mmCIF file with all atom_site columns, all heavy atoms in Angstrom:
data_model
loop_
_atom_site.group_PDB
_atom_site.id
_atom_site.type_symbol
_atom_site.label_atom_id
_atom_site.label_alt_id
_atom_site.label_comp_id
_atom_site.label_asym_id
_atom_site.label_entity_id
_atom_site.label_seq_id
_atom_site.pdbx_PDB_ins_code
_atom_site.Cartn_x
_atom_site.Cartn_y
_atom_site.Cartn_z
_atom_site.occupancy
_atom_site.B_iso_or_equiv
_atom_site.pdbx_formal_charge
_atom_site.auth_seq_id
_atom_site.auth_comp_id
_atom_site.auth_asym_id
_atom_site.auth_atom_id
_atom_site.pdbx_PDB_model_num
ATOM 1  N N   . PHE A 1 2  ? -33.948 -8.543  -59.680 1.00 0.00 ? 20 PHE A N   1
ATOM 2  C CA  . PHE A 1 2  ? -33.000 -9.418  -59.020 1.00 0.00 ? 20 PHE A CA  1
ATOM 3  C C   . PHE A 1 2  ? -32.593 -8.811  -57.698 1.00 0.00 ? 20 PHE A C   1
ATOM 4  O O   . PHE A 1 2  ? -32.223 -7.550  -57.661 1.00 0.00 ? 20 PHE A O   1
ATOM 5  C CB  . PHE A 1 2  ? -31.724 -9.617  -59.830 1.00 0.00 ? 20 PHE A CB  1
ATOM 6  C CG  . PHE A 1 2  ? -30.794 -10.665 -59.369 1.00 0.00 ? 20 PHE A CG  1
ATOM 7  C CD1 . PHE A 1 2  ? -30.955 -11.966 -59.799 1.00 0.00 ? 20 PHE A CD1 1
ATOM 8  C CD2 . PHE A 1 2  ? -29.782 -10.361 -58.502 1.00 0.00 ? 20 PHE A CD2 1
ATOM 9  C CE1 . PHE A 1 2  ? -30.041 -12.926 -59.388 1.00 0.00 ? 20 PHE A CE1 1
ATOM 10 C CE2 . PHE A 1 2  ? -28.958 -11.359 -57.984 1.00 0.00 ? 20 PHE A CE2 1
ATOM 11 C CZ  . PHE A 1 2  ? -29.011 -12.656 -58.476 1.00 0.00 ? 20 PHE A CZ  1
ATOM 12 N N   . LEU A 1 3  ? -32.759 -9.556  -56.590 1.00 0.00 ? 21 LEU A N   1
ATOM 13 C CA  . LEU A 1 3  ? -32.560 -8.978  -55.232 1.00 0.00 ? 21 LEU A CA  1
ATOM 14 C C   . LEU A 1 3  ? -31.560 -9.784  -54.411 1.00 0.00 ? 21 LEU A C   1
ATOM 15 O O   . LEU A 1 3  ? -31.736 -11.020 -54.288 1.00 0.00 ? 21 LEU A O   1
ATOM 16 C CB  . LEU A 1 3  ? -33.937 -8.934  -54.513 1.00 0.00 ? 21 LEU A CB  1
ATOM 17 C CG  . LEU A 1 3  ? -33.993 -8.534  -53.057 1.00 0.00 ? 21 LEU A CG  1
ATOM 18 C CD1 . LEU A 1 3  ? -33.558 -7.052  -52.851 1.00 0.00 ? 21 LEU A CD1 1
ATOM 19 C CD2 . LEU A 1 3  ? -35.401 -8.694  -52.475 1.00 0.00 ? 21 LEU A CD2 1
ATOM 20 N N   . THR A 1 4  ? -30.615 -9.123  -53.802 1.00 0.00 ? 22 THR A N   1
ATOM 21 C CA  . THR A 1 4  ? -29.746 -9.724  -52.826 1.00 0.00 ? 22 THR A CA  1
ATOM 22 C C   . THR A 1 4  ? -30.182 -9.349  -51.480 1.00 0.00 ? 22 THR A C   1
ATOM 23 O O   . THR A 1 4  ? -30.816 -8.298  -51.240 1.00 0.00 ? 22 THR A O   1
ATOM 24 C CB  . THR A 1 4  ? -28.222 -9.314  -53.030 1.00 0.00 ? 22 THR A CB  1
ATOM 25 O OG1 . THR A 1 4  ? -28.074 -7.963  -52.572 1.00 0.00 ? 22 THR A OG1 1
ATOM 26 C CG2 . THR A 1 4  ? -27.849 -9.465  -54.470 1.00 0.00 ? 22 THR A CG2 1
ATOM 27 N N   . GLY A 1 5  ? -29.866 -10.213 -50.448 1.00 0.00 ? 23 GLY A N   1
ATOM 28 C CA  . GLY A 1 5  ? -30.184 -9.907  -49.106 1.00 0.00 ? 23 GLY A CA  1
ATOM 29 C C   . GLY A 1 5  ? -31.657 -10.038 -48.751 1.00 0.00 ? 23 GLY A C   1
ATOM 30 O O   . GLY A 1 5  ? -32.170 -9.362  -47.826 1.00 0.00 ? 23 GLY A O   1
ATOM 31 N N   . ALA A 1 6  ? -32.419 -10.849 -49.493 1.00 0.00 ? 24 ALA A N   1
ATOM 32 C CA  . ALA A 1 6  ? -33.797 -10.916 -49.385 1.00 0.00 ? 24 ALA A CA  1
ATOM 33 C C   . ALA A 1 6  ? -34.333 -11.454 -48.064 1.00 0.00 ? 24 ALA A C   1
ATOM 34 O O   . ALA A 1 6  ? -35.561 -11.395 -47.721 1.00 0.00 ? 24 ALA A O   1
ATOM 35 C CB  . ALA A 1 6  ? -34.442 -11.705 -50.568 1.00 0.00 ? 24 ALA A CB  1
ATOM 36 N N   . THR A 1 7  ? -33.495 -12.084 -47.253 1.00 0.00 ? 25 THR A N   1
ATOM 37 C CA  . THR A 1 7  ? -33.987 -12.567 -45.951 1.00 0.00 ? 25 THR A CA  1
ATOM 38 C C   . THR A 1 7  ? -33.475 -11.701 -44.762 1.00 0.00 ? 25 THR A C   1
ATOM 39 O O   . THR A 1 7  ? -33.727 -11.991 -43.624 1.00 0.00 ? 25 THR A O   1
ATOM 40 C CB  . THR A 1 7  ? -33.507 -14.011 -45.650 1.00 0.00 ? 25 THR A CB  1
ATOM 41 O OG1 . THR A 1 7  ? -32.102 -14.083 -45.792 1.00 0.00 ? 25 THR A OG1 1
ATOM 42 C CG2 . THR A 1 7  ? -34.128 -14.996 -46.695 1.00 0.00 ? 25 THR A CG2 1
ATOM 43 N N   . GLY A 1 8  ? -32.796 -10.619 -45.117 1.00 0.00 ? 26 GLY A N   1
ATOM 44 C CA  . GLY A 1 8  ? -32.441 -9.616  -44.104 1.00 0.00 ? 26 GLY A CA  1
ATOM 45 C C   . GLY A 1 8  ? -33.523 -8.717  -43.725 1.00 0.00 ? 26 GLY A C   1
ATOM 46 O O   . GLY A 1 8  ? -34.647 -8.746  -44.368 1.00 0.00 ? 26 GLY A O   1
ATOM 47 N N   . SER A 1 9  ? -33.372 -7.812  -42.744 1.00 0.00 ? 27 SER A N   1
ATOM 48 C CA  . SER A 1 9  ? -34.438 -6.974  -42.286 1.00 0.00 ? 27 SER A CA  1
ATOM 49 C C   . SER A 1 9  ? -34.993 -6.022  -43.374 1.00 0.00 ? 27 SER A C   1
ATOM 50 O O   . SER A 1 9  ? -36.207 -5.872  -43.509 1.00 0.00 ? 27 SER A O   1
ATOM 51 C CB  . SER A 1 9  ? -34.022 -6.172  -41.044 1.00 0.00 ? 27 SER A CB  1
ATOM 52 O OG  . SER A 1 9  ? -32.866 -5.360  -41.323 1.00 0.00 ? 27 SER A OG  1
ATOM 53 N N   . ILE A 1 10 ? -34.045 -5.380  -44.118 1.00 0.00 ? 28 ILE A N   1
ATOM 54 C CA  . ILE A 1 10 ? -34.494 -4.530  -45.195 1.00 0.00 ? 28 ILE A CA  1
ATOM 55 C C   . ILE A 1 10 ? -34.870 -5.313  -46.436 1.00 0.00 ? 28 ILE A C   1
ATOM 56 O O   . ILE A 1 10 ? -35.955 -5.131  -46.987 1.00 0.00 ? 28 ILE A O   1
ATOM 57 C CB  . ILE A 1 10 ? -33.361 -3.483  -45.589 1.00 0.00 ? 28 ILE A CB  1
ATOM 58 C CG1 . ILE A 1 10 ? -33.143 -2.491  -44.391 1.00 0.00 ? 28 ILE A CG1 1
ATOM 59 C CG2 . ILE A 1 10 ? -33.714 -2.761  -46.855 1.00 0.00 ? 28 ILE A CG2 1
ATOM 60 C CD1 . ILE A 1 10 ? -32.067 -1.517  -44.612 1.00 0.00 ? 28 ILE A CD1 1
ATOM 61 N N   . GLY A 1 11 ? -34.060 -6.274  -46.815 1.00 0.00 ? 29 GLY A N   1
ATOM 62 C CA  . GLY A 1 11 ? -34.332 -7.044  -48.018 1.00 0.00 ? 29 GLY A CA  1
ATOM 63 C C   . GLY A 1 11 ? -35.640 -7.742  -48.020 1.00 0.00 ? 29 GLY A C   1
ATOM 64 O O   . GLY A 1 11 ? -36.392 -7.812  -49.049 1.00 0.00 ? 29 GLY A O   1
ATOM 65 N N   . SER A 1 12 ? -36.010 -8.332  -46.891 1.00 0.00 ? 30 SER A N   1
ATOM 66 C CA  . SER A 1 12 ? -37.243 -9.077  -46.806 1.00 0.00 ? 30 SER A CA  1
ATOM 67 C C   . SER A 1 12 ? -38.513 -8.206  -46.918 1.00 0.00 ? 30 SER A C   1
ATOM 68 O O   . SER A 1 12 ? -39.482 -8.513  -47.540 1.00 0.00 ? 30 SER A O   1
ATOM 69 C CB  . SER A 1 12 ? -37.357 -9.835  -45.444 1.00 0.00 ? 30 SER A CB  1
ATOM 70 O OG  . SER A 1 12 ? -37.248 -8.979  -44.336 1.00 0.00 ? 30 SER A OG  1
ATOM 71 N N   . SER A 1 13 ? -38.386 -6.924  -46.442 1.00 0.00 ? 31 SER A N   1
ATOM 72 C CA  . SER A 1 13 ? -39.433 -5.971  -46.597 1.00 0.00 ? 31 SER A CA  1
ATOM 73 C C   . SER A 1 13 ? -39.517 -5.445  -48.029 1.00 0.00 ? 31 SER A C   1
ATOM 74 O O   . SER A 1 13 ? -40.550 -5.184  -48.561 1.00 0.00 ? 31 SER A O   1
ATOM 75 C CB  . SER A 1 13 ? -39.233 -4.786  -45.615 1.00 0.00 ? 31 SER A CB  1
ATOM 76 O OG  . SER A 1 13 ? -39.397 -5.186  -44.309 1.00 0.00 ? 31 SER A OG  1
#
Side-chain angles (χ1 to χ4, degrees):
F20 190 91
L21 174 65
T22 72
T25 56
S27 59
I28 291 178
S30 60
S31 294

